[in-house]
Amino acid sequence: MTQLDQIQNFIDGQFVPPIGGKYLDNIEPATGKPYSLVPDSDSRDVEAAVAAAEKAFPAWSRTPAAERSRILLRIAELIDRDLEKFARAESVDTGKPLSLARSLDIPRASSNFRFFATAILHTENEAHMMDGVAFNYTLRQPRGVVGLISPWNLPLYLLSWKIAPAIAVGNTAVAKPSELTPMTAFLLGEVCREAGLPNGVLNIVQGTGPNVGSVITAHPKIGTISFTGGTVTGRKVAQAGAPLFKKVSLELGGKNPNIIFADADLDAAIAGSVRSSFANQGQVCLCGSRVFVERPAYDEFVRRFTEKVSQLKQGDPLEEKTDQGAIVSKMQLEKVTFYVDLAKQEGGRIALGGAAPPPPNERCRDGYFFPPTVITGLPVGCRVNREEIFGPVVTITPFDNEDEVIGYANDTDYGLASSVWTQNLSRAHRVAEQIHTGTVWVNCWLVRDLRVPFGGMKQSGVGREGGEEALRFFTEPKNVCIAK
Ligand code: TXE
Protein backbone atom coordinates (compact mmCIF):
# COMPACT_ATOMS: atom_id res chain seq x y z
CA MET A 1 0.00 0.00 0.00
CA THR A 2 1.16 3.50 -0.71
CA GLN A 3 0.70 6.26 1.86
CA LEU A 4 -2.84 7.27 2.71
CA ASP A 5 -4.31 4.54 0.60
CA GLN A 6 -7.76 3.51 1.68
CA ILE A 7 -8.38 0.35 3.62
CA GLN A 8 -11.65 -1.24 2.55
CA ASN A 9 -14.29 -3.35 4.20
CA PHE A 10 -14.35 -7.04 3.27
CA ILE A 11 -17.95 -8.04 2.63
CA ASP A 12 -19.25 -11.05 0.70
CA GLY A 13 -15.74 -11.81 -0.49
CA GLN A 14 -15.22 -8.35 -2.00
CA PHE A 15 -13.27 -5.32 -0.89
CA VAL A 16 -15.78 -2.51 -0.76
CA PRO A 17 -15.74 1.10 0.42
CA PRO A 18 -17.98 2.12 3.32
CA ILE A 19 -21.46 2.91 2.02
CA GLY A 20 -21.40 6.37 3.61
CA GLY A 21 -18.05 7.09 1.92
CA LYS A 22 -16.45 8.30 5.16
CA TYR A 23 -12.95 7.46 6.37
CA LEU A 24 -10.89 8.06 9.49
CA ASP A 25 -7.17 8.73 9.62
CA ASN A 26 -5.18 5.67 10.57
CA ILE A 27 -2.36 7.07 12.68
CA GLU A 28 1.05 5.46 12.98
CA PRO A 29 1.77 5.73 16.73
CA ALA A 30 5.54 5.90 16.23
CA THR A 31 5.23 9.07 14.15
CA GLY A 32 1.88 10.49 15.28
CA LYS A 33 0.96 10.91 11.61
CA PRO A 34 -1.75 9.32 9.47
CA TYR A 35 -0.45 6.69 7.10
CA SER A 36 -3.68 5.29 5.67
CA LEU A 37 -7.42 5.74 5.88
CA VAL A 38 -9.79 3.38 7.63
CA PRO A 39 -13.49 3.10 6.74
CA ASP A 40 -15.75 4.95 9.15
CA SER A 41 -18.51 2.42 8.49
CA ASP A 42 -22.02 2.57 9.89
CA SER A 43 -25.11 0.41 10.29
CA ARG A 44 -25.59 0.08 6.52
CA ASP A 45 -22.23 -1.65 6.17
CA VAL A 46 -23.07 -3.94 9.09
CA GLU A 47 -26.40 -4.77 7.41
CA ALA A 48 -24.59 -5.69 4.19
CA ALA A 49 -22.16 -7.86 6.15
CA VAL A 50 -24.97 -9.61 8.05
CA ALA A 51 -26.85 -10.25 4.80
CA ALA A 52 -23.72 -11.77 3.24
CA ALA A 53 -23.05 -13.90 6.32
CA GLU A 54 -26.67 -15.09 6.40
CA LYS A 55 -26.55 -16.03 2.76
CA ALA A 56 -23.29 -17.95 3.19
CA PHE A 57 -24.36 -19.84 6.31
CA PRO A 58 -26.41 -22.74 4.85
CA ALA A 59 -23.69 -23.92 2.47
CA TRP A 60 -20.77 -23.28 4.82
CA SER A 61 -22.40 -25.00 7.78
CA ARG A 62 -23.01 -28.08 5.58
CA THR A 63 -19.49 -28.06 4.14
CA PRO A 64 -17.69 -31.19 5.40
CA ALA A 65 -15.29 -30.56 8.26
CA ALA A 66 -12.42 -31.88 6.17
CA GLU A 67 -13.01 -29.18 3.57
CA ARG A 68 -13.38 -26.40 6.14
CA SER A 69 -10.19 -27.66 7.71
CA ARG A 70 -8.36 -27.59 4.39
CA ILE A 71 -9.30 -23.95 3.77
CA LEU A 72 -8.32 -22.85 7.27
CA LEU A 73 -4.98 -24.61 6.95
CA ARG A 74 -4.43 -22.77 3.69
CA ILE A 75 -5.17 -19.46 5.45
CA ALA A 76 -2.52 -20.37 8.05
CA GLU A 77 -0.01 -21.19 5.32
CA LEU A 78 -0.63 -17.90 3.56
CA ILE A 79 -0.19 -15.90 6.76
CA ASP A 80 3.13 -17.68 7.25
CA ARG A 81 4.09 -16.95 3.66
CA ASP A 82 3.25 -13.26 4.15
CA LEU A 83 4.78 -13.11 7.64
CA GLU A 84 6.93 -10.10 6.89
CA LYS A 85 4.08 -8.13 5.32
CA PHE A 86 1.76 -8.87 8.25
CA ALA A 87 4.44 -8.14 10.85
CA ARG A 88 5.25 -4.80 9.32
CA ALA A 89 1.59 -3.82 9.11
CA GLU A 90 1.10 -4.84 12.74
CA SER A 91 4.13 -2.86 13.86
CA VAL A 92 3.15 0.28 11.96
CA ASP A 93 -0.46 0.07 13.18
CA THR A 94 0.28 -0.58 16.85
CA GLY A 95 3.73 0.89 17.50
CA LYS A 96 5.01 -2.46 18.77
CA PRO A 97 8.51 -3.56 17.79
CA LEU A 98 8.60 -5.24 14.41
CA SER A 99 10.65 -8.04 15.95
CA LEU A 100 7.83 -8.77 18.41
CA ALA A 101 5.15 -8.78 15.72
CA ARG A 102 7.30 -11.12 13.64
CA SER A 103 8.18 -13.53 16.44
CA LEU A 104 4.94 -13.56 18.44
CA ASP A 105 1.79 -11.95 17.08
CA ILE A 106 1.77 -13.17 13.51
CA PRO A 107 3.00 -16.73 14.18
CA ARG A 108 0.37 -17.03 16.90
CA ALA A 109 -2.29 -15.85 14.47
CA SER A 110 -1.43 -18.53 11.93
CA SER A 111 -1.25 -21.14 14.67
CA ASN A 112 -4.78 -20.16 15.73
CA PHE A 113 -6.04 -21.11 12.27
CA ARG A 114 -3.95 -24.26 12.22
CA PHE A 115 -5.09 -25.36 15.66
CA PHE A 116 -8.83 -25.03 15.01
CA ALA A 117 -8.49 -26.39 11.47
CA THR A 118 -7.21 -29.64 12.90
CA ALA A 119 -9.29 -29.60 16.10
CA ILE A 120 -12.51 -30.00 14.13
CA LEU A 121 -11.17 -33.25 12.68
CA HIS A 122 -10.88 -34.79 16.13
CA THR A 123 -14.11 -33.97 17.92
CA GLU A 124 -16.11 -36.61 19.72
CA ASN A 125 -19.85 -36.75 20.23
CA GLU A 126 -21.48 -37.62 23.50
CA ALA A 127 -24.12 -40.29 23.88
CA HIS A 128 -25.97 -41.18 27.08
CA MET A 129 -27.73 -44.54 27.41
CA MET A 130 -30.80 -44.95 29.61
CA ASP A 131 -31.27 -48.59 30.54
CA GLY A 132 -34.16 -50.03 28.57
CA VAL A 133 -35.76 -46.64 27.95
CA ALA A 134 -33.92 -44.53 25.40
CA PHE A 135 -30.59 -43.22 24.37
CA ASN A 136 -29.54 -39.62 23.93
CA TYR A 137 -26.93 -38.15 21.71
CA THR A 138 -25.75 -34.56 21.52
CA LEU A 139 -25.55 -32.69 18.29
CA ARG A 140 -23.33 -29.62 18.37
CA GLN A 141 -24.40 -27.36 15.56
CA PRO A 142 -23.00 -24.03 14.39
CA ARG A 143 -24.96 -21.11 15.77
CA GLY A 144 -25.35 -18.98 12.63
CA VAL A 145 -24.01 -15.46 12.17
CA VAL A 146 -21.60 -14.52 14.95
CA GLY A 147 -20.18 -11.10 15.86
CA LEU A 148 -16.49 -10.84 16.69
CA ILE A 149 -15.04 -7.64 18.14
CA SER A 150 -11.38 -7.20 18.99
CA PRO A 151 -9.05 -4.56 20.44
CA TRP A 152 -5.87 -2.82 19.31
CA ASN A 153 -3.17 -4.36 21.44
CA LEU A 154 -2.75 -7.73 19.67
CA PRO A 155 -4.93 -7.08 16.62
CA LEU A 156 -4.42 -10.09 14.37
CA TYR A 157 -3.70 -12.55 17.14
CA LEU A 158 -6.90 -11.77 19.05
CA LEU A 159 -9.11 -11.45 15.99
CA SER A 160 -7.89 -14.77 14.58
CA TRP A 161 -8.40 -16.37 18.02
CA LYS A 162 -12.10 -15.64 17.45
CA ILE A 163 -12.44 -16.05 13.69
CA ALA A 164 -10.69 -19.42 13.51
CA PRO A 165 -12.92 -21.37 15.93
CA ALA A 166 -16.07 -19.53 14.81
CA ILE A 167 -15.78 -20.42 11.14
CA ALA A 168 -14.06 -23.77 11.72
CA VAL A 169 -17.24 -25.17 13.26
CA GLY A 170 -19.41 -23.79 10.44
CA ASN A 171 -20.57 -20.35 11.56
CA THR A 172 -20.30 -17.29 9.38
CA ALA A 173 -18.93 -14.11 10.90
CA VAL A 174 -19.12 -10.35 11.01
CA ALA A 175 -15.84 -9.17 12.50
CA LYS A 176 -14.78 -5.74 13.65
CA PRO A 177 -11.16 -4.97 14.43
CA SER A 178 -10.25 -1.90 16.45
CA GLU A 179 -10.42 1.31 14.45
CA LEU A 180 -6.93 2.08 15.78
CA THR A 181 -5.36 -1.02 14.20
CA PRO A 182 -7.25 -2.04 11.06
CA MET A 183 -4.47 -3.05 8.71
CA THR A 184 -3.79 -6.70 9.55
CA ALA A 185 -7.50 -7.53 9.33
CA PHE A 186 -7.54 -5.95 5.90
CA LEU A 187 -4.61 -8.15 4.87
CA LEU A 188 -6.39 -11.16 6.36
CA GLY A 189 -9.29 -10.53 3.98
CA GLU A 190 -6.87 -10.83 1.05
CA VAL A 191 -5.50 -14.07 2.43
CA CYS A 192 -8.97 -15.55 2.98
CA ARG A 193 -9.87 -14.80 -0.61
CA GLU A 194 -6.73 -16.41 -1.92
CA ALA A 195 -7.29 -19.44 0.32
CA GLY A 196 -10.68 -20.02 -1.28
CA LEU A 197 -12.84 -19.17 1.72
CA PRO A 198 -16.35 -18.91 0.22
CA ASN A 199 -17.78 -15.42 -0.07
CA GLY A 200 -19.63 -14.20 3.01
CA VAL A 201 -18.14 -16.68 5.48
CA LEU A 202 -15.95 -13.95 6.95
CA ASN A 203 -16.97 -10.32 6.67
CA ILE A 204 -14.84 -7.56 8.11
CA VAL A 205 -16.46 -4.21 8.84
CA GLN A 206 -14.01 -1.49 9.83
CA GLY A 207 -14.99 1.46 11.97
CA THR A 208 -15.61 2.75 15.46
CA GLY A 209 -17.21 1.13 18.48
CA PRO A 210 -20.27 3.38 18.54
CA ASN A 211 -20.94 3.20 14.78
CA VAL A 212 -20.08 -0.43 14.06
CA GLY A 213 -19.40 -2.35 17.30
CA SER A 214 -22.63 -1.37 19.00
CA VAL A 215 -24.63 -2.12 15.83
CA ILE A 216 -23.14 -5.63 15.79
CA THR A 217 -23.86 -6.23 19.47
CA ALA A 218 -27.48 -5.04 19.13
CA HIS A 219 -28.20 -6.76 15.82
CA PRO A 220 -31.10 -9.21 16.13
CA LYS A 221 -29.64 -11.60 13.56
CA ILE A 222 -26.32 -11.91 15.40
CA GLY A 223 -27.08 -14.16 18.34
CA THR A 224 -23.51 -14.82 19.44
CA ILE A 225 -20.91 -12.22 20.36
CA SER A 226 -17.28 -12.75 21.22
CA PHE A 227 -15.67 -9.57 22.51
CA THR A 228 -12.20 -8.69 23.76
CA GLY A 229 -11.52 -5.20 25.02
CA GLY A 230 -11.83 -2.91 28.02
CA THR A 231 -14.11 -3.69 30.96
CA VAL A 232 -16.18 -0.53 30.47
CA THR A 233 -16.94 -1.49 26.87
CA GLY A 234 -17.52 -5.10 27.92
CA ARG A 235 -20.30 -3.94 30.23
CA LYS A 236 -21.98 -2.17 27.30
CA VAL A 237 -21.68 -5.29 25.16
CA ALA A 238 -23.29 -7.37 27.92
CA GLN A 239 -26.09 -4.83 28.27
CA ALA A 240 -26.75 -4.80 24.53
CA GLY A 241 -26.91 -8.58 24.39
CA ALA A 242 -29.01 -9.22 27.50
CA PRO A 243 -32.48 -8.23 26.18
CA LEU A 244 -31.95 -10.44 23.13
CA PHE A 245 -30.55 -13.31 25.24
CA LYS A 246 -27.40 -13.39 23.17
CA LYS A 247 -24.66 -15.82 23.91
CA VAL A 248 -21.81 -13.53 24.91
CA SER A 249 -18.17 -14.20 25.69
CA LEU A 250 -16.22 -11.31 27.20
CA GLU A 251 -12.46 -11.18 27.58
CA LEU A 252 -11.77 -7.97 29.48
CA GLY A 253 -9.08 -6.15 31.38
CA GLY A 254 -6.71 -7.25 34.08
CA LYS A 255 -4.63 -5.97 36.98
CA ASN A 256 -2.53 -9.04 37.25
CA PRO A 257 -0.38 -9.90 40.26
CA ASN A 258 3.14 -11.17 39.75
CA ILE A 259 4.29 -12.79 42.99
CA ILE A 260 7.94 -13.49 43.74
CA PHE A 261 8.76 -15.56 46.79
CA ALA A 262 12.21 -15.31 48.36
CA ASP A 263 12.93 -18.94 47.43
CA ALA A 264 12.40 -18.27 43.71
CA ASP A 265 15.13 -18.65 41.13
CA LEU A 266 15.72 -14.91 41.10
CA ASP A 267 17.45 -14.81 37.72
CA ALA A 268 14.45 -16.48 36.10
CA ALA A 269 11.96 -14.41 38.09
CA ILE A 270 13.64 -11.15 37.08
CA ALA A 271 13.90 -12.09 33.41
CA GLY A 272 10.28 -13.30 33.42
CA SER A 273 9.08 -10.20 35.23
CA VAL A 274 10.77 -7.86 32.77
CA ARG A 275 8.79 -9.56 30.01
CA SER A 276 5.52 -9.79 31.91
CA SER A 277 5.76 -6.14 32.91
CA PHE A 278 6.78 -4.56 29.62
CA ALA A 279 6.02 -6.83 26.66
CA ASN A 280 4.26 -4.76 24.02
CA GLN A 281 4.86 -1.66 26.19
CA GLY A 282 2.72 -3.27 28.91
CA GLN A 283 -0.28 -3.30 26.62
CA VAL A 284 -1.17 -6.94 27.03
CA CYS A 285 -4.21 -7.77 29.16
CA LEU A 286 -2.08 -10.51 30.78
CA CYS A 287 0.81 -8.24 31.80
CA GLY A 288 1.75 -8.49 35.47
CA SER A 289 1.37 -4.85 36.43
CA ARG A 290 1.46 -5.43 40.20
CA VAL A 291 4.68 -7.06 41.35
CA PHE A 292 4.81 -8.41 44.91
CA VAL A 293 8.18 -9.52 46.32
CA GLU A 294 8.76 -11.36 49.58
CA ARG A 295 10.66 -9.08 51.90
CA PRO A 296 14.00 -10.97 52.15
CA ALA A 297 14.35 -10.73 48.34
CA TYR A 298 12.78 -7.28 47.93
CA ASP A 299 15.83 -5.00 47.83
CA GLU A 300 17.82 -7.27 45.56
CA PHE A 301 14.84 -7.78 43.25
CA VAL A 302 14.12 -4.05 42.94
CA ARG A 303 17.77 -3.26 42.24
CA ARG A 304 18.37 -6.00 39.67
CA PHE A 305 14.95 -5.73 38.02
CA THR A 306 15.26 -1.96 37.62
CA GLU A 307 18.76 -2.36 36.20
CA LYS A 308 17.57 -4.91 33.66
CA VAL A 309 14.57 -2.81 32.67
CA SER A 310 16.84 0.19 32.15
CA GLN A 311 18.66 -1.86 29.51
CA LEU A 312 15.55 -2.28 27.36
CA LYS A 313 16.09 -0.35 24.17
CA GLN A 314 13.29 2.04 23.43
CA GLY A 315 13.19 3.18 19.84
CA ASP A 316 11.64 3.26 16.42
CA PRO A 317 9.48 0.10 16.28
CA LEU A 318 10.71 -0.64 12.78
CA GLU A 319 14.34 -0.86 13.91
CA GLU A 320 15.42 -4.42 14.58
CA LYS A 321 17.10 -3.74 17.93
CA THR A 322 14.11 -1.99 19.48
CA ASP A 323 12.64 -3.71 22.57
CA GLN A 324 10.12 -1.02 23.46
CA GLY A 325 8.14 0.78 20.78
CA ALA A 326 5.40 3.38 20.90
CA ILE A 327 2.14 3.54 22.85
CA VAL A 328 -0.83 2.83 20.59
CA SER A 329 -2.49 6.25 20.63
CA LYS A 330 -2.29 9.76 22.00
CA MET A 331 -5.23 9.00 24.25
CA GLN A 332 -3.55 5.93 25.68
CA LEU A 333 -0.33 7.89 26.21
CA GLU A 334 -2.30 10.52 28.13
CA LYS A 335 -3.88 7.79 30.23
CA VAL A 336 -0.45 6.37 31.12
CA THR A 337 0.87 9.84 31.98
CA PHE A 338 -2.19 10.50 34.13
CA TYR A 339 -1.58 7.36 36.19
CA VAL A 340 2.12 8.06 36.68
CA ASP A 341 1.23 11.54 37.99
CA LEU A 342 -1.41 9.98 40.20
CA ALA A 343 1.16 7.52 41.55
CA LYS A 344 3.29 10.45 42.72
CA GLN A 345 0.28 11.99 44.47
CA GLU A 346 -0.51 8.65 46.07
CA GLY A 347 2.97 8.52 47.62
CA GLY A 348 4.80 6.40 45.05
CA ARG A 349 8.50 6.69 44.31
CA ILE A 350 9.50 6.55 40.66
CA ALA A 351 12.41 4.10 40.65
CA LEU A 352 12.76 4.24 36.86
CA GLY A 353 11.23 6.13 33.93
CA GLY A 354 8.23 8.28 34.67
CA ALA A 355 8.54 10.97 32.01
CA ALA A 356 8.40 10.99 28.22
CA PRO A 357 11.84 10.32 26.70
CA PRO A 358 13.38 12.32 23.85
CA PRO A 359 12.25 10.99 20.44
CA PRO A 360 14.40 8.09 19.25
CA ASN A 361 14.93 9.61 15.80
CA GLU A 362 13.69 12.32 13.47
CA ARG A 363 10.99 10.09 11.94
CA CYS A 364 9.52 9.48 15.39
CA ARG A 365 9.68 13.11 16.52
CA ASP A 366 5.93 13.30 17.16
CA GLY A 367 5.42 9.68 18.18
CA TYR A 368 3.71 8.48 21.36
CA PHE A 369 6.54 7.22 23.53
CA PHE A 370 6.68 6.51 27.25
CA PRO A 371 9.57 4.74 28.98
CA PRO A 372 9.26 1.58 31.06
CA THR A 373 8.35 2.90 34.48
CA VAL A 374 8.88 1.23 37.86
CA ILE A 375 7.11 2.59 40.94
CA THR A 376 7.70 1.56 44.55
CA GLY A 377 6.26 2.60 47.89
CA LEU A 378 2.57 2.68 46.96
CA PRO A 379 -0.15 1.39 49.27
CA VAL A 380 -1.71 -1.81 47.92
CA GLY A 381 -5.22 -0.36 47.86
CA CYS A 382 -4.44 2.88 46.00
CA ARG A 383 -5.98 3.67 42.60
CA VAL A 384 -2.77 3.02 40.69
CA ASN A 385 -2.72 -0.46 42.19
CA ARG A 386 -6.38 -1.13 41.47
CA GLU A 387 -7.14 0.37 38.07
CA GLU A 388 -5.97 -0.98 34.74
CA ILE A 389 -3.36 1.34 33.24
CA PHE A 390 -2.50 -0.75 30.20
CA GLY A 391 0.92 0.72 29.62
CA PRO A 392 4.58 0.35 30.58
CA VAL A 393 4.04 0.94 34.29
CA VAL A 394 4.54 -1.52 37.15
CA THR A 395 4.39 -1.15 40.88
CA ILE A 396 6.51 -3.22 43.26
CA THR A 397 5.35 -3.94 46.80
CA PRO A 398 6.97 -6.07 49.53
CA PHE A 399 5.11 -8.74 51.49
CA ASP A 400 5.85 -10.84 54.56
CA ASN A 401 3.97 -14.09 54.11
CA GLU A 402 1.83 -16.24 51.87
CA ASP A 403 -1.55 -15.28 53.32
CA GLU A 404 -0.74 -11.61 53.07
CA VAL A 405 0.22 -11.79 49.40
CA ILE A 406 -2.79 -13.90 48.48
CA GLY A 407 -4.91 -11.14 50.01
CA TYR A 408 -3.05 -8.52 47.98
CA ALA A 409 -3.35 -10.55 44.79
CA ASN A 410 -7.09 -10.91 45.19
CA ASP A 411 -7.68 -7.33 46.31
CA THR A 412 -8.84 -6.17 42.89
CA ASP A 413 -12.00 -6.21 40.81
CA TYR A 414 -10.12 -8.05 38.07
CA GLY A 415 -9.19 -11.72 37.84
CA LEU A 416 -7.53 -12.47 34.55
CA ALA A 417 -4.07 -13.93 35.18
CA SER A 418 -1.28 -14.18 37.73
CA SER A 419 2.29 -15.40 37.99
CA VAL A 420 3.90 -17.09 40.96
CA TRP A 421 7.65 -17.56 41.23
CA THR A 422 8.83 -20.11 43.80
CA GLN A 423 10.89 -23.29 43.98
CA ASN A 424 8.57 -24.74 46.60
CA LEU A 425 6.18 -27.03 44.77
CA SER A 426 3.65 -27.32 47.59
CA ARG A 427 3.51 -23.59 47.92
CA ALA A 428 2.99 -23.20 44.17
CA HIS A 429 -0.04 -25.48 44.31
CA ARG A 430 -1.41 -23.84 47.47
CA VAL A 431 -1.13 -20.33 46.12
CA ALA A 432 -2.43 -21.24 42.65
CA GLU A 433 -5.52 -22.72 44.24
CA GLN A 434 -6.29 -19.58 46.20
CA ILE A 435 -5.71 -16.87 43.62
CA HIS A 436 -8.86 -15.74 41.85
CA THR A 437 -7.61 -15.54 38.29
CA GLY A 438 -8.49 -17.55 35.19
CA THR A 439 -4.85 -18.44 34.58
CA VAL A 440 -2.04 -18.93 37.10
CA TRP A 441 1.44 -19.23 35.65
CA VAL A 442 4.06 -20.80 37.91
CA ASN A 443 7.67 -19.88 37.11
CA CYS A 444 6.66 -18.63 33.68
CA TRP A 445 4.47 -16.11 31.88
CA LEU A 446 2.49 -16.10 28.65
CA VAL A 447 3.13 -19.75 27.95
CA ARG A 448 0.24 -20.68 25.73
CA ASP A 449 -1.28 -24.08 25.10
CA LEU A 450 -4.18 -23.61 22.71
CA ARG A 451 -6.11 -26.48 24.29
CA VAL A 452 -6.55 -24.95 27.73
CA PRO A 453 -9.48 -22.75 28.80
CA PHE A 454 -8.64 -19.07 28.70
CA GLY A 455 -10.56 -16.23 30.29
CA GLY A 456 -11.10 -14.16 33.38
CA MET A 457 -12.85 -14.21 36.73
CA LYS A 458 -14.68 -11.26 38.30
CA GLN A 459 -14.62 -8.16 36.08
CA SER A 460 -12.08 -9.71 33.73
CA GLY A 461 -14.82 -11.41 31.81
CA VAL A 462 -17.46 -14.00 31.27
CA GLY A 463 -16.92 -17.34 29.61
CA ARG A 464 -13.80 -19.14 28.49
CA GLU A 465 -12.16 -19.40 25.11
CA GLY A 466 -9.50 -21.78 23.89
CA GLY A 467 -9.60 -25.37 22.66
CA GLU A 468 -12.72 -27.30 23.53
CA GLU A 469 -14.27 -24.25 25.24
CA ALA A 470 -14.19 -22.30 21.99
CA LEU A 471 -15.65 -25.15 19.98
CA ARG A 472 -18.45 -25.35 22.54
CA PHE A 473 -19.04 -21.62 22.66
CA PHE A 474 -19.48 -21.38 18.92
CA THR A 475 -21.85 -24.35 18.70
CA GLU A 476 -25.33 -24.96 20.04
CA PRO A 477 -25.79 -28.29 21.81
CA LYS A 478 -28.95 -30.15 20.95
CA ASN A 479 -30.07 -33.34 22.65
CA VAL A 480 -31.72 -35.99 20.50
CA CYS A 481 -33.54 -38.57 22.63
CA ILE A 482 -34.47 -41.83 20.91
CA ALA A 483 -36.78 -44.26 22.61
CA LYS A 484 -35.77 -47.92 22.58
O1 TXE B 1 -10.93 -0.42 24.21
P1 TXE B 1 -12.38 -0.75 23.83
P2 TXE B 1 -10.19 0.96 24.02
C1 TXE B 1 -8.51 -1.57 28.05
C2 TXE B 1 -7.38 -0.66 28.37
C3 TXE B 1 -7.70 0.55 27.61
C4 TXE B 1 -9.19 0.57 27.67
C5 TXE B 1 -9.86 1.28 26.56
O2 TXE B 1 -7.40 -0.39 29.75
O3 TXE B 1 -7.14 1.68 28.17
O4 TXE B 1 -9.56 -0.78 27.62
O5 TXE B 1 -9.31 0.92 25.31
C6 TXE B 1 -14.98 -1.70 20.22
N1 TXE B 1 -19.95 -1.69 21.41
N2 TXE B 1 -8.19 -2.53 27.02
O6 TXE B 1 -11.07 2.14 24.15
O7 TXE B 1 -13.16 0.49 23.65
C7 TXE B 1 -13.77 -0.92 19.78
O8 TXE B 1 -14.03 -0.25 18.57
C8 TXE B 1 -19.22 -2.61 20.77
C9 TXE B 1 -7.97 -3.85 27.47
O9 TXE B 1 -9.45 0.86 22.78
O10 TXE B 1 -12.85 -1.76 24.78
C10 TXE B 1 -12.75 -2.03 19.66
O11 TXE B 1 -12.92 -2.74 18.45
N3 TXE B 1 -17.92 -2.47 20.52
C11 TXE B 1 -8.01 -4.82 26.39
C12 TXE B 1 -13.10 -2.92 20.84
O12 TXE B 1 -14.45 -2.59 21.17
C13 TXE B 1 -17.31 -1.35 20.95
C14 TXE B 1 -7.51 -4.43 25.09
C15 TXE B 1 -12.24 -2.73 22.07
O13 TXE B 1 -12.17 -1.37 22.38
C16 TXE B 1 -18.02 -0.35 21.64
C17 TXE B 1 -7.82 -3.06 24.74
C18 TXE B 1 -19.40 -0.56 21.86
N4 TXE B 1 -20.15 0.32 22.52
C19 TXE B 1 -8.11 -2.17 25.72
N5 TXE B 1 -17.15 0.63 21.95
C20 TXE B 1 -7.74 -6.23 26.74
N6 TXE B 1 -8.23 -6.67 27.88
O14 TXE B 1 -7.15 -6.96 25.99
C21 TXE B 1 -15.94 0.26 21.47
N7 TXE B 1 -16.03 -0.93 20.87
Side-chain angles (χ1 to χ4, degrees):
M1 286 196 50
T2 54
Q3 267 207 338
L4 290 194
D5 266 354
Q6 292 173 339
I7 290 172
Q8 303 290 311
N9 288 330
F10 181 62
I11 296 177
D12 205 12
Q14 313 302 318
F15 287 100
V16 290
I19 293 171
K22 289 201 286 185
Y23 288 84
L24 303 163
D25 282 344
N26 183 22
I27 308 280
E28 179 178 3
T31 64
K33 297 193 176 58
Y35 84 101
S36 64
L37 296 169
V38 55
D40 187 8
S41 310
D42 60 32
S43 59
R44 292 168 291 178
D45 304 290
V46 176
E47 287 303 338
V50 172
E54 250 195 315
K55 189 173 69 168
F57 179 72
W60 181 247
S61 57
R62 282 198 298 268
T63 299
E67 174 64 5
R68 282 185 263 126
S69 170
R70 193 189 62 75
I71 295 173
L72 265 71
L73 285 173
R74 183 73 185 131
I75 294 173
E77 279 169 21
L78 294 176
I79 294 173
D80 288 345
R81 182 198 68 187
D82 294 347
L83 171 69
E84 206 51 40
K85 185 158 100 176
F86 273 103
R88 204 180 162 83
E90 170 107 1
S91 171
V92 174
D93 253 5
T94 58
K96 76 179 56 172
L98 175 58
S99 56
L100 182 68
R102 186 191 289 131
S103 60
L104 189 119
D105 295 74
I106 309 304
R108 284 191 171 194
S110 69
S111 67
N112 285 338
F113 280 102
R114 201 165 275 117
F115 177 85
F116 288 107
T118 49
I120 54 170
L121 303 177
H122 302 279
T123 51
E124 289 179 1
N125 298 87
E126 305 109 278
H128 299 87
M129 310 302 165
M130 297 172 74
D131 293 339
V133 181
F135 76 94
N136 299 277
Y137 64 89
T138 308
L139 281 178
R140 293 194 182 272
Q141 298 172 308
R143 300 177 53 85
V145 181
V146 301
L148 312 173
I149 300 176
S150 59
W152 44 259
N153 56 335
L154 309 164
L156 188 67
Y157 169 11
L158 292 177
L159 193 61
S160 57
W161 178 236
K162 299 181 185 306
I163 292 173
I167 67 174
V169 296
N171 298 289
T172 55
V174 176
K176 190 198 96 60
S178 168
E179 61 276 30
L180 298 179
T181 54
M183 191 59 89
T184 46
F186 178 59
L187 298 179
L188 180 66
E190 287 178 356
V191 154
C192 288
R193 219 152 74 142
E194 189 179 339
L197 188 71
N199 293 350
V201 172
L202 171 64
N203 304 276
I204 299 169
V205 184
Q206 305 270 7
T208 65
N211 292 343
V212 177
S214 64
V215 179
I216 293 174
T217 55
H219 201 290
K221 289 188 171 160
I222 303 179
T224 304
I225 301 283
S226 173
F227 171 87
T228 301
T231 295
V232 172
T233 318
R235 191 168 287 122
K236 292 184 196 160
V237 172
Q239 279 165 351
L244 298 166
F245 306 107
K246 294 195 181 203
K247 199 172 184 202
V248 177
S249 164
L250 301 170
E251 298 293 340
L252 309 176
K255 191 73 184 173
N256 309 303
N258 176 20
I259 301 169
I260 291 118
F261 285 96
D263 66 11
D265 171 344
L266 218 54
D267 291 344
I270 289 169
S273 300
V274 172
R275 269 186 78 227
S276 70
S277 302
F278 299 112
N280 199 29
Q281 296 74 244
Q283 301 166 124
V284 180
C285 50
L286 302 163
C287 274
S289 50
R290 295 183 298 148
V291 183
F292 298 105
V293 187
E294 201 173 11
R295 210 172 288 273
Y298 180 79
D299 288 340
E300 184 183 349
F301 180 90
V302 172
R303 183 177 51 76
R304 290 178 54 195
F305 173 77
T306 308
E307 192 184 315
K308 215 167 163 71
V309 174
S310 71
Q311 290 160 4
L312 292 174
K313 186 176 173 337
Q314 181 156 40
D316 187 332
L318 295 178
E319 280 173 14
E320 290 299 333
K321 291 208 173 102
T322 295
D323 300 309
Q324 290 283 293
I327 304 294
V328 74
S329 67
K330 188 155 182 282
M331 218 170 99
Q332 196 65 18
L333 177 63
E334 285 165 3
K335 183 176 175 191
V336 171
T337 312
F338 167 83
Y339 276 105
V340 172
D341 290 343
L342 182 62
K344 290 178 201 156
Q345 290 164 30
E346 291 185 318
R349 191 180 80 79
I350 309 292
L352 187 75
N361 60 22
E362 188 50 26
R363 189 182 97 84
C364 298
R365 203 186 45 204
D366 299 320
Y368 312 134
F369 291 89
F370 201 88
T373 295
V374 180
I375 303 172
T376 57
L378 278 173
V380 177
C382 72
R383 279 186 67 190
V384 170
N385 265 329
R386 304 187 69 91
E387 296 174 19
E388 187 184 38
I389 301 173
F390 220 63
V393 181
V394 287
T395 63
I396 313 183
T397 309
F399 67 89
D400 287 308
N401 61 57
E402 216 174 287
D403 287 343
E404 181 188 9
V405 77
I406 289 167
Y408 289 169
N410 290 335
D411 185 17
T412 161
D413 293 333
Y414 294 105
L416 191 56
S418 52
S419 290
V420 180
W421 298 84
T422 176
Q423 307 247 41
N424 180 332
L425 187 60
S426 310
R427 186 195 328 256
H429 288 299
R430 252 190 338 261
V431 175
E433 204 176 299
Q434 293 177 79
I435 294 187
H436 303 151
T437 59
T439 298
V440 183
W441 277 295
V442 177
N443 296 331
C444 60
W445 179 74
L446 208 64
V447 174
R448 190 175 78 140
D449 181 332
L450 290 172
R451 294 166 299 185
V452 303
F454 174 79
M457 296 181 178
K458 302 194 276 186
Q459 294 192 17
S460 289
V462 172
R464 291 290 182 276
E465 297 183 2
E468 191 61 31
E469 304 285 339
L471 297 178
R472 285 182 178 235
F473 176 72
F474 285 114
T475 51
E476 182 85 64
K478 179 190 287 175
N479 180 50
V480 180
C481 178
I482 301 181
K484 277 205 172 157

